[in-house]
Amino acid sequence: MLMFTLRRLSLFFFTMVLLSILTFSLRYFFPGDMLINISGQINANAAELKQLATDYKIHESIFNQYWQYLTNIFQGNLGLSMASQLPIKNEISTLLPATIELSIMALTIAMLFGIPLGFIAAIYHRKKIDNVILTFAIVGHSIPVFWLGLLVILMFSIQLAWFPSAGNISLLFEIPQQTGFLFIDILLSDNPYKWQAFINALSHIVLPASVIALAPATVFIRLARSSMMEVLETSYIQAAKTKGLSFIQIIYHHAIRNALIKMIRHIGLQFANLITFAMITEVIFSWPGIGRWLIISIGQRDYTAIQNGLLVLSVFIFVVHIITDFIYALLNPLARGRRYDA
Amino acid sequence: MMLARLLNHHVVSTLLSINLLLMLSACAPQDNEQSERSIHDNSVIYCAEGSPETFNPQLVTSGTTIDATSKQLYDRLLAFNPKDDSLIPALAKSWHITRDGKMITFYLRKDVEFNHTDYFTPSRKLNADDVIFSFNRILDKHHPYHHVSGGKYPFFQTIKFAQLVKEVEKINDYTIRFKLNHADSSFLTNLATDFSVILSAEYAEHLTKIKQQHLLDTMPIGTGPYKLKEFRSGSFIRFYRNEHYWAHPVKIAQLVYDITPINTGRLTKLLAKECDVISYPIAHKKITEHADFTLDSVTSFNVGYLGFNVTKPPFDNILVRKAISHAINFDTIINIIYGDQAQLATSLLPESSWAHSKDKITRKYSLKLAKSLLDVAGYKQGFTMDLWAMPIQRAYNPNALKMAKLIQADLQHINIKVNIISYEWNTFLRRLAAGEHDAVLLGWSADQPDPDNFFTPLLSCAARFTGGNRSFWCNKQYDDLLAKALATTNLKQRKKYYQQALKIIDNELPLIPIAHSKRYQARIKTVQGKILQPFGGIDFSNVSKLPAQTLLTKTNAKNNLDESKK
């Protein structure tokens, strides 16, 4: 396990270095004054610009500049957003939790529906149920997420009026920000309408999370199906059968567990995909998350925001990957010994 | 039989457990249910089209900012009576004008509290110092707050406020006197507009002490029905009610502006009931069809018109101008250009103005009449003219180029060939002022309800050089009538003069009024009270809300009615 941990950590380190070099180099590609692009201080006067130039060491060697860039990141000095003139660190600290909340909810929905459906399809392999589930998976996978989002709003917000169409909570509830995670903040707040706020926030997350969940769910269906089928073919299942265990016993005690372990790594891989869907869905549902912020920043040519948003989002996705890898390794001793998987 | 019993057993147990769950969930948050009802019934969410630039209306003319600030956060010395737009007391309980009209004394109310907010708690009530501070900030270039936030006061600069007011003098703590350089009957109405708000001098002192002067305009303290709680640009504004509001208790506890710049977004939020009121709605039919929503509209104080340059032949001939007025199908224009969101103008004044004449002047669409008039004028073969169409959108003319094309097609029938001309807006205005045009599509929005605000700037002789008289029409009789109207305070008499002036315009036709556009707003039926105003910003001070249940029962009642009809 030690070797595995070290390997993962070194991989993490070098990926981070590469990523930081990439985002660092972006400053040379954006049009306009580099100093303004990286600091976000669009109203700075000559004296302030001079100070900024020394702060960012832009007249020194590239290596010094890069080192200063890393120092700034670790000190949390990400500059100002060119559009809102607020510190990017503050913006990200409210936006990223909202996206994490939405993604976790979507992932949960995708797993809750996708994996059992996949198992059912594998158990009823080549039967009607299998066909129905597979058809659903293919249709679900091919629906564009922006179209689905609009459709869902039209259906459940406008026609049926079951769920709200925009934002993460009704503006009437005034929830002070503490952790940035809305659900936790609601529970921490001393608002007399706490539970209503909680239910209101839940009703806001249902539609966007379901829209994001659809595509990963269909992937999970197919993965769960094939991994279950693989497990059902193995010799220990055959052995269990010959021992005379009932079908239900075999599925519950032997097949599901082993099939699930194979799934965990794929869940991590799906996460990057999920974030992409989340970015688009955030725009459609006006979700105050980092994806929507990044897309708006691109439209506004807010280079400071683009540069740092990209960095934060990539780090976040990579951290999730590493974590799922660790969980996988903890649960599956076989993976730890393997040498050449990355 | 067995199966049925089993099933029954199952059903019963399921029902029981559901019941239990419901009871459990109902037990704990009982009070909360009560409060849930109250938070929605006490609050209004308004979906606005944009963020305000500042929270002080003195500094802007933008409608979005005025909507968000003026009538919510502040009060003025005077207000307009919603019934007839006459002036009524507000922060000033009464006022007195000397006979020469040059000295105006205001007596202030003594019970006016400023907003108590998280960021400032006032220690005293409104007094003369606040009024003097508010106006001196605009008038006095050396005032410590004059240049805070840029030093530009566009409304006051257009009305030449600094040239008009000689001095604002404090008589005692609750009496102030304005000394004017010359009499001006529109002075009082200007003090009642959305821009002439009263700020807190005590708050300004406090800000000077902590060296945060700029907060005066971004973290506002006013006397209005609401106070600012939180503002996030591009996202929302949260207001709480001012518990000490002097005029009347405010019924709404919380007012939230949900900033939604996209038209369809606002419509969706209304239909999904996330917003109680939305600004500038689209899809009017969809809203009126729905039983839970109403569409409000108000005819704004504006006019879109077709003006002739009467100094250029053939438009110096009244008959030609009249012929054109009969040859254009104005109903089609209203329909196509305004999408029926405007009222066909029968005169310069909108119907809601008190000086508007009840006996309607009708304009007949008749090519035959038009042709015979041209015939008499000596233009049987017709002629060629340049029609200038303004390049930008305004409420009074959302698409001047398209309108020009419609007019072009109409005038072809009477052998007039129209060339459409348009420049970039500033060039357009400059060349227009130089009189290069034959005819022009233009308009006018009033800032205040005084009818003089239409007559003088648009058609008086003086306005040929300084104002908006782009017809270059000058009529001595008309100018005399306007002067007489301004000199008298007798409303009936004034109305008489203005109606005579309207008659002159109708006879001479230096311009053809086309439309008074409307402003729209949609809301859920539970929201009660007038929000839209014919001029100036929206007003939430008199808004109240019925519980949502009334909405449901209403719809149910309607459904029942429908069913019983069947």
Side-chain angles (χ1 to χ4, degrees):
Chain A
M1 188 68 193
L2 182 73
M3 277 313 289
F4 176 83
T5 313
L6 285 178
R7 269 212 308 272
R8 290 292 127 164
L9 286 183
S10 70
L11 177 70
F12 178 72
F13 176 74
F14 283 110
T15 318
M16 283 302 115
V17 170
L18 277 177
L19 186 66
S20 66
I21 291 175
L22 178 80
T23 48
F24 171 72
S25 64
L26 278 178
R27 63 169 70 179
Y28 298 104
F29 300 127
F30 286 138
D33 186 344
M34 183 173 86
L35 201 51
I36 292 175
N37 285 346
I38 57 179
S39 67
Q41 308 228 359
I42 42 175
N43 297 322
N45 57 35
E48 284 167 334
L49 279 178
K50 214 170 172 188
Q51 181 59 40
L52 282 175
T54 41
D55 284 352
Y56 285 94
K57 299 192 173 159
I58 61 162
H59 297 308
E60 296 178 30
S61 71
I62 282 220
F63 183 75
N64 281 0
Q65 283 186 41
Y66 176 65
W67 190 248
Q68 186 57 40
Y69 174 69
L70 290 185
T71 320
N72 280 342
I73 290 174
F74 281 107
Q75 288 172 347
N77 173 18
L78 302 179
L80 300 179
S81 155
M82 288 162 85
S84 69
Q85 288 294 295
L86 294 170
I88 295 218
K89 191 179 79 177
N90 297 5
E91 296 227 7
I92 287 177
S93 66
T94 60
L95 297 168
L96 189 62
T99 301
I100 295 177
E101 256 174 343
L102 184 63
S103 323
I104 289 177
M105 190 71 179
L107 198 65
T108 315
I109 294 175
M111 288 196 298
L112 279 182
F113 286 90
I115 296 174
L117 279 177
F119 288 165
I120 291 170
I123 292 163
Y124 296 96
H125 185 46
R126 298 272 157 103
K127 299 219 173 83
K128 218 173 218 167
I129 297 180
D130 185 24
N131 289 339
V132 169
I133 293 175
L134 265 191
T135 316
F136 168 76
I138 289 166
V139 170
H141 194 69
S142 20
I143 291 179
V145 66
F146 63 89
W147 186 70
L148 182 71
L150 292 178
L151 213 65
V152 161
I153 288 181
L154 207 62
M155 183 83 189
F156 294 101
S157 297
I158 296 182
Q159 293 298 337
L160 298 170
W162 287 355
F163 299 105
S165 69
N168 57 354
I169 189 168
S170 166
L171 289 176
L172 294 182
F173 299 104
E174 199 186 343
I175 306 296
Q177 188 192 337
Q178 294 178 46
T179 59
F181 292 92
L182 183 66
F183 286 99
I184 300 175
D185 283 350
I186 290 174
L187 295 178
L188 289 178
S189 75
D190 48 3
N191 194 315
Y193 310 113
K194 213 173 185 171
W195 291 107
Q196 271 57 53
F198 195 82
I199 287 165
N200 189 283
L202 264 183
S203 76
H204 274 84
I205 210 172
V206 170
L207 287 188
S210 310
V211 167
I212 300 169
L214 182 70
T218 59
V219 175
F220 290 153
I221 288 177
R222 283 182 295 168
L223 287 173
R225 182 172 171 272
S226 63
S227 93
M228 181 57 117
M229 270 160 42
E230 227 173 86
V231 170
L232 287 179
E233 294 292 306
T234 53
S235 44
Y236 57 85
I237 296 288
Q238 301 298 332
K241 267 187 197 165
T242 49
K243 273 202 277 177
L245 288 180
S246 74
F247 186 62
I248 290 180
Q249 272 176 319
I250 293 173
I251 296 291
Y252 273 110
H253 294 288
H254 300 284
I256 285 186
R257 278 185 192 198
N258 290 303
L260 269 181
I261 285 184
K262 286 179 191 286
M263 292 290 303
I264 288 175
R265 294 200 66 219
H266 292 294
I267 291 170
L269 290 177
Q270 275 304 305
F271 205 79
N273 235 343
L274 195 125
I275 291 285
T276 318
F277 289 130
M279 288 176 76
I280 301 165
T281 312
E282 280 178 7
V283 175
I284 297 169
F285 286 90
S286 312
W287 191 266
I290 197 166
R292 174 165 173 261
W293 180 70
L294 210 57
I295 288 176
I296 292 175
S297 304
I298 292 170
Q300 291 174 329
R301 307 279 186 279
D302 186 344
Y303 296 119
T304 338
I306 297 172
Q307 203 179 355
N308 291 298
L310 211 65
L311 180 74
V312 170
L313 211 55
S314 320
V315 170
F316 170 61
I317 291 172
F318 199 71
V319 167
V320 171
H321 270 237
I322 295 280
I323 291 174
T324 48
D325 260 3
F326 272 111
I327 295 175
Y328 176 61
L330 278 177
L331 294 176
N332 187 4
L334 286 177
R336 281 173 238 159
R338 260 185 238 159
R339 258 161 201 278
Y340 302 106
D341 71 330
Chain B
M1 193 60 195
M2 192 65 186
L3 194 81
R5 204 181 286 167
L6 212 116
L7 212 95
N8 246 339
H9 182 75
H10 235 94
V11 168
V12 168
S13 64
T14 325
L15 276 181
L16 266 178
S17 56
I18 289 178
N19 253 339
L20 204 77
L21 261 175
L22 275 179
M23 270 161 68
L24 269 176
S25 60
C27 265
Q30 188 114 71
D31 307 336
N32 288 331
E33 229 162 71
Q34 200 80 37
S35 45
E36 154 95 298
R37 201 184 301 152
S38 58
I39 198 169
H40 283 289
D41 296 347
N42 271 334
S43 319
V44 168
I45 303 184
Y46 172 71
C47 270
E49 73 284 359
S51 300
E53 311 147 55
T54 167
F55 280 94
N56 183 354
Q58 292 178 328
L59 304 169
V60 292
T61 51
S62 129
T64 308
T65 305
I66 295 293
D67 278 348
T69 58
S70 193
K71 293 204 172 80
Q72 274 55 262
L73 292 167
Y74 298 98
D75 283 297
R76 288 134 290 272
L77 288 177
L78 308 171
F80 294 114
N81 185 340
K83 285 188 196 105
D84 56 5
D85 300 325
S86 59
L87 290 170
I88 48 171
L91 293 181
K93 61 182 179 195
S94 62
W95 64 95
H96 173 259
I97 312 171
T98 51
R99 202 164 291 169
D100 62 0
K102 282 180 166 180
M103 271 205 261
I104 297 137
T105 314
F106 290 97
Y107 305 94
L108 301 179
R109 298 178 66 101
K110 292 179 182 169
D111 56 348
V112 180
E113 287 263 17
F114 279 102
N115 296 162
H116 293 242
T117 62
D118 303 342
Y119 46 90
F120 181 68
T121 312
S123 67
R124 61 167 176 82
K125 295 182 177 174
L126 172 104
N127 67 25
D129 294 333
D130 299 310
V131 180
I132 290 174
F133 169 78
S134 308
F135 289 105
N136 272 349
R137 179 189 184 189
I138 301 164
L139 293 167
D140 179 4
K141 286 208 169 93
H142 305 294
H143 192 275
Y145 274 90
H146 183 80
H147 289 289
V148 174
S149 309
K152 288 211 169 83
Y153 304 88
F155 172 76
F156 298 96
Q157 280 156 359
T158 22
I159 61 166
K160 302 201 164 99
F161 196 65
Q163 286 93 311
L164 177 66
V165 180
K166 198 198 281 173
E167 196 193 349
V168 192
E169 187 190 358
K170 178 177 174 179
I171 307 289
N172 63 37
D173 269 356
Y174 296 98
T175 315
I176 46 149
R177 183 176 291 154
F178 280 84
K179 287 183 180 163
L180 306 186
N181 285 322
H182 55 88
D184 184 333
S185 70
S186 66
F187 176 72
L188 287 177
T189 25
N190 283 333
L191 287 193
T193 57
D194 285 333
F195 312 100
S196 311
V197 296
I198 304 300
L199 315 172
S200 162
E202 190 196 359
Y203 181 49
E205 263 165 45
H206 166 72
L207 291 178
T208 314
K209 238 180 253 162
I210 60 167
K211 297 209 167 98
Q212 299 277 325
Q213 282 90 333
H214 63 280
L215 292 184
L216 183 74
D217 302 318
T218 52
M219 306 273 275
I221 295 287
T223 57
Y226 297 92
K227 58 188 179 190
L228 182 71
K229 173 74 183 167
E230 196 184 355
F231 168 54
R232 216 171 284 168
S233 181
S235 186
F236 65 85
I237 318 172
R238 190 189 305 284
F239 296 108
Y240 278 173
R241 85 171 133 217
N242 173 3
E243 287 86 1
H244 314 284
Y245 189 48
W246 57 275
H248 53 78
V250 182
K251 289 175 192 142
I252 298 293
Q254 198 187 159
L255 171 67
V256 178
Y257 278 45
D258 180 351
I259 295 157
T260 317
I262 302 165
N263 290 338
T264 46
R266 286 200 300 278
L267 183 69
T268 311
K269 283 185 182 176
L270 177 77
L271 295 176
K273 303 206 173 119
E274 287 160 70
C275 284
D276 298 310
V277 185
I278 65 168
S279 65
Y280 304 104
I282 52 166
H284 292 177
K285 214 173 147 204
K286 175 98 194 156
I287 293 166
T288 43
E289 270 171 4
H290 204 294
D292 289 349
F293 308 119
T294 42
L295 190 69
D296 303 329
S297 69
V298 64
T299 303
S300 304
F301 268 59
N302 64 24
V303 62
Y305 61 80
L306 167 65
F308 301 106
N309 184 347
V310 299
T311 57
K312 271 193 180 175
F315 299 102
D316 53 349
N317 191 331
I318 296 178
L319 291 175
V320 173
R321 306 202 289 259
K322 284 210 162 152
I324 289 178
S325 82
H326 290 297
I328 299 172
N329 190 343
F330 288 101
D331 289 325
T332 320
I333 287 181
I334 297 289
N335 194 323
I336 292 177
I337 305 293
Y338 298 90
D340 286 324
Q341 302 197 3
Q343 209 171 30
L344 182 65
T346 52
S347 78
L348 204 56
L349 290 179
E351 257 175 38
S352 37
S353 168
W354 54 262
H356 182 264
S357 142
K358 288 259 157 39
D359 37 286
K360 277 194 177 165
I361 304 163
T362 44
R363 221 179 290 122
K364 213 167 112 196
Y365 172 61
S366 158
L367 288 178
K368 215 169 143 192
L369 188 58
K371 272 183 189 155
S372 66
L373 280 169
L374 272 189
D375 225 356
V376 179
Y379 290 97
K380 200 173 179 185
Q381 279 74 45
F383 54 86
T384 306
M385 66 179 269
D386 289 343
L387 176 61
W388 287 36
M390 56 176 205
I392 55 158
Q393 277 188 19
R394 281 283 189 264
Y396 52 68
N397 196 339
N399 193 342
L401 278 174
K402 197 167 173 185
M403 190 188 282
K405 279 179 192 157
L406 290 176
I407 292 174
Q408 187 180 42
D410 276 342
L411 294 186
Q412 219 165 23
H413 299 305
I414 55 169
N415 296 327
I416 299 178
K417 191 173 172 291
V418 177
N419 299 321
I420 298 168
I421 287 178
S422 192
Y423 294 100
E424 178 275 322
W425 184 229
N426 283 320
T427 323
F428 187 85
L429 288 180
R430 192 164 34 83
R431 296 193 158 204
L432 211 56
E436 292 180 24
H437 58 290
D438 287 337
V440 61
L441 287 170
L442 212 61
W444 177 257
S445 297
D447 320 299
Q448 39 126 314
D450 199 298
D452 185 65
N453 201 272
F454 282 93
F455 289 106
T456 306
L458 281 182
L459 286 170
S460 68
C461 294
R464 283 180 301 169
F465 309 109
T466 60
N469 186 349
R470 297 290 168 255
S471 305
F472 302 102
W473 178 76
C474 175
N475 185 309
K476 188 83 191 40
Q477 203 189 346
Y478 172 86
D479 268 23
D480 282 349
L481 280 169
L482 296 192
K484 274 189 209 159
L486 274 184
T488 175
T489 44
N490 182 338
L491 215 63
K492 262 191 183 159
Q493 199 61 41
R494 268 189 94 183
K495 191 170 172 176
K496 223 181 220 168
Y497 290 132
Y498 284 134
Q499 292 192 347
Q500 287 172 18
L502 284 178
K503 276 239 168 70
I504 297 178
I505 298 173
D506 196 50
N507 287 334
E508 296 246 334
L509 225 60
L511 54 79
I512 309 173
I514 298 172
H516 308 295
S517 71
K518 290 183 188 170
R519 176 170 177 183
Y520 282 87
Q521 163 190 290
R523 61 168 144 179
I524 295 181
K525 276 185 180 157
T526 47
V527 177
Q528 309 273 310
K530 199 174 162 193
I531 301 168
L532 276 183
Q533 310 291 323
F535 43 85
I538 51 172
D539 181 1
F540 277 98
S541 65
N542 288 311
V543 167
S544 61
K545 206 171 173 194
L546 301 172
Q549 278 88 337
T550 50
L551 197 69
L552 287 173
T553 44
K554 255 187 199 167
T555 26
N556 284 347
K558 195 175 173 276
N559 287 345
N560 290 344
L561 252 174
D562 289 350
E563 267 162 35
S564 63
K565 264 185 207 160
K566 278 170 202 164

